[in-house]
Amino acid sequence: MKRHTPILICLLMACLTACFSPIAFGQGKNPASESETEKIIAQGRVYCLDESGQRLSENRDCSTGSHTYELVSKDKKVFKFAADDLLTAMFKESRVRKLDLQITGEPRANNFLEITNIQTIRDGKLIDIFYYCDVCSITALGPGDCPCCFNPLEYREKPALEKP
């Protein structure tokens, strides 16, 4: 009888475990669907905060310096965003902070919201907002220069796709 190497046996055991796990049979919790139920969708305006936490004018340029942001929803709930949340880059421009936004995110401790999607609302319809480079066909979620050709990224909007 031929001897199997320990690596082959480990791979076989890993495959069998994955195939016969409760998730494979639709039992147990699926992390993807679990996070879907924890999402928060909030509509309102985003404000730029200075180092002391005070709201700045919506016309103020927040592209330089250290700023954090918060969303004040239509029902007056306040959600803060972590300083290291990469999607907050979009809020640097005052034009975005002047928009009625719909922000989807996952709740965190102390009323923090981890952003998963940012859209604007116009005439009751959702609009995706983003930055784009025509030369390189690169889409970004914040203003600045294209990482490829270094031309300035352009602000763009397009109707959001309807979800099934």
Side-chain angles (χ1 to χ4, degrees):
M1 188 168 203
K2 199 173 190 182
R3 292 188 72 191
H4 297 287
T5 64
I7 294 174
L8 182 61
I9 293 171
C10 287
L11 286 172
L12 180 62
M13 292 302 292
C15 288
L16 288 172
T17 301
C19 289
F20 293 105
S21 74
I23 291 175
F25 288 107
Q27 302 168 354
K29 292 183 178 178
N30 181 344
S33 64
E34 189 175 315
S35 65
E36 292 288 327
T37 59
E38 293 182 22
K39 299 246 186 219
I40 290 177
I41 298 174
Q43 295 180 352
R45 291 271 174 113
V46 168
Y47 294 91
C48 181
L49 307 176
D50 65 14
E51 291 82 11
S52 66
Q54 297 298 310
R55 287 184 192 157
L56 300 173
S57 162
E58 67 182 17
N59 294 321
R60 172 96 183 257
D61 176 25
C62 290
S63 62
T64 58
S66 173
H67 300 285
T68 56
Y69 303 93
E70 68 181 10
L71 170 76
V72 178
S73 69
K74 290 181 178 181
D75 58 354
K76 305 298 182 214
K77 289 183 183 174
V78 176
F79 296 97
K80 296 187 181 297
F81 305 109
D84 62 350
D85 190 331
L86 298 177
L87 296 182
T88 61
M90 188 170 288
F91 305 143
K92 290 179 180 181
E93 283 197 315
S94 63
R95 90 168 96 194
V96 174
R97 293 192 314 275
K98 291 177 183 178
L99 297 172
D100 290 322
L101 297 174
Q102 175 170 297
I103 297 179
T104 306
E106 296 178 11
R108 299 293 180 242
N110 300 322
N111 267 7
F112 276 82
L113 193 62
E114 184 178 331
I115 302 170
T116 57
N117 196 20
I118 303 170
Q119 297 169 305
T120 188
I121 306 161
R122 186 171 305 119
D123 300 324
K125 297 184 190 248
L126 289 175
I127 308 290
D128 289 328
I129 55 178
F130 56 97
Y131 294 83
Y132 190 76
C133 175
D134 282 325
V135 175
C136 305
S137 298
I138 291 177
T139 301
L141 295 174
D145 292 334
C146 173
C148 181
C149 69
F150 303 106
N151 285 327
L153 294 166
E154 294 180 22
Y155 174 83
R156 297 276 179 94
E157 297 181 351
K158 72 174 185 173
L161 297 175
E162 290 186 25
K163 295 188 179 181

